[in-house]
Amino acid sequence: MLPRHGVTPALIYEARRRIAGQVVRSPLIHSTALSARFDADIYLKLETCQPSGAFKLRGATNMIAALIERHGQDGLAAGVTTASTGNHGRAMALAAARLGVPATICLSHLVPANKVAAIETLGAEVVRVGESQDEAFGEVERLVRERGMTLIPPFDDPLIAAGQGTIGLELMEDAPDLDRVIVGLSGGGLLGGIGAAVKAIRPGTRITGVSLARGAAMWESLQAGRPVEVEEVESLGDSLGGGIGLDNRCTLALVGEVMDDHYQVSEPAIAHAMVDILEHEKLLVEGAAAVGLAAMAEYRIDVQGQRVALILSGNAVSLETIDRARKLTGR
């Protein structure tokens, strides 16, 4: 019997087959500096190495390829569409271009200009609308209804979560005795997919979610036991903004099943983590990619003697945002 969320190990292995050659098997590197700082073995999963700059390419490629397998190229002739806080839109634009499918990406006015430009460069049509991801989704619904386009959701679909879950398979192959995986939490596709893969192979590995201090839609929904709306706010971790959809069908149940603990991090903590990763690891990461380290530092999570993986989920960050982070830290 399928789980309510529909994400099975078989679906994740199918995703790996489908995206092979289209997506980078990202490096898992040992951080000497962080390991010494936390008296643990700290590993960094570099999804920043993806051609789109973030993990989202896995799920987008998997879903578009799966739809082509099912319905043929003509089945997507009207094109694909989505709403995004930036990274999913960029990933979908790249995946669609590679697979020969037209794409329209709907973005709220909160999405930073550098992310908008990156999407347009890949040849997708961009529509700016509203002040939240939910408002952008209203335009997506219109495109689906009036132009016959196919929705590729940013997170709430088993095919999307399974694509992100291929990260978990790689983690278990490269570091099979991990004690904890720390993942940014927004819509839940990344954490849910990774958690489903890791728990299927090593159930004792803890899956830790990290959200923003404000606007944590998934966490608020888990507490309420149903999808709820939250006000979106500007943040260094802007990729973690947005709602989970009031009709959420997949990721709320999936995250509730696989996540063991959860932290909400402040803006100064995100800023310090971004600067630390840049200074000590020589890696440029967006705020959402730094929240794992932010949580470890802000909450002094006890990881002594453990093997811990942090998911560095993306690198879509402007120099202006890095400068904001530096100013917040005084460094």
Side-chain angles (χ1 to χ4, degrees):
M1 181 174 168
L2 281 175
R4 182 159 55 102
H5 48 70
V7 181
T8 64
L11 200 67
I12 298 171
Y13 280 103
E14 285 176 12
R16 178 152 75 170
R17 170 192 59 79
R18 205 174 277 125
I19 68 177
Q22 300 288 328
V23 172
V24 170
R25 181 190 174 102
S26 58
L28 182 70
I29 65 170
H30 183 265
S31 170
T32 301
L34 293 179
S35 296
R37 176 177 171 184
F38 293 100
D39 193 18
D41 280 318
I42 308 296
Y43 295 86
L44 308 176
K45 182 65 167 167
L46 304 186
E47 285 296 293
T48 51
C49 293
Q50 294 299 342
S52 65
F55 74 94
K56 291 280 191 178
L57 186 61
R58 295 175 185 261
T61 300
N62 183 48
M63 186 163 186
I64 296 174
L67 291 173
I68 292 173
E69 284 181 3
R70 294 176 187 176
H71 308 296
Q73 201 80 25
D74 290 346
L76 296 180
V80 293
T81 185
T82 197
S84 170
T85 53
N87 283 335
H88 176 61
R90 187 176 178 186
M92 201 183 92
L94 178 56
R98 285 176 166 180
L99 295 169
V101 177
T104 298
I105 316 299
C106 300
L107 307 173
S108 83
H109 291 287
L110 287 180
V111 175
N114 66 301
K115 294 188 177 184
V116 177
I119 293 169
E120 291 176 328
T121 298
L122 292 169
E125 178 185 356
V126 171
V127 177
R128 302 297 296 274
V129 58
E131 300 299 326
S132 72
Q133 189 164 338
D134 287 338
E135 289 183 65
F137 256 112
E139 178 66 11
V140 170
E141 290 169 353
R142 186 189 71 80
L143 293 174
V144 171
R145 183 175 62 252
E146 297 181 7
R147 290 170 50 179
M149 302 187 82
T150 298
L151 169 64
I152 307 296
F155 52 84
D156 191 34
D157 189 279
L159 287 169
I160 296 292
Q164 325 306 23
T166 59
I167 297 171
L169 298 182
E170 293 172 13
L171 287 173
M172 290 290 91
E173 290 166 352
D174 294 342
D177 54 352
L178 281 175
D179 297 296
R180 186 191 295 260
V181 182
I182 305 182
V183 193
L185 178 63
S186 179
L190 178 63
L191 184 145
I194 290 175
V198 169
K199 294 287 190 181
I201 296 168
R202 194 170 193 267
T205 300
R206 293 187 69 79
I207 303 297
T208 297
V210 185
S211 301
L212 303 177
R214 295 186 297 156
M218 177 60 77
W219 180 242
E220 296 296 334
S221 297
L222 287 168
Q223 300 309 295
R226 57 179 174 79
V228 298
E229 291 182 324
V230 297
E231 181 183 356
E232 288 188 49
V233 296
E234 287 194 61
S235 171
L236 290 169
D238 56 85
S239 293
L240 297 183
I244 69 165
L246 293 180
D247 61 345
N248 189 286
R249 298 180 179 89
C250 171
T251 56
L252 180 60
L254 179 59
V255 171
E257 179 180 301
V258 302
M259 187 170 71
D260 295 295
D261 52 359
H262 175 266
Y263 298 89
Q264 290 180 267
V265 290
S266 66
E267 291 297 296
I270 297 172
H272 277 283
M274 292 172 70
V275 174
D276 283 345
I277 291 170
L278 180 58
E279 287 188 347
H280 299 297
E281 308 299 333
K282 308 308 178 189
L283 295 170
L284 190 65
V285 300
E286 59 191 89
V291 294
L293 176 57
M296 289 176 64
E298 186 168 19
Y299 291 94
R300 299 181 182 179
I301 300 173
D302 184 10
V303 295
Q304 184 176 14
Q306 295 182 16
R307 288 166 63 85
V308 179
L310 306 181
I311 309 300
L312 300 194
S313 53
N315 63 12
V317 60
S318 66
L319 292 179
E320 178 185 11
T321 301
I322 288 292
D323 191 49
R324 280 172 53 208
R326 290 182 64 249
K327 287 177 180 176
L328 262 177
T329 66
R331 292 155 69 181

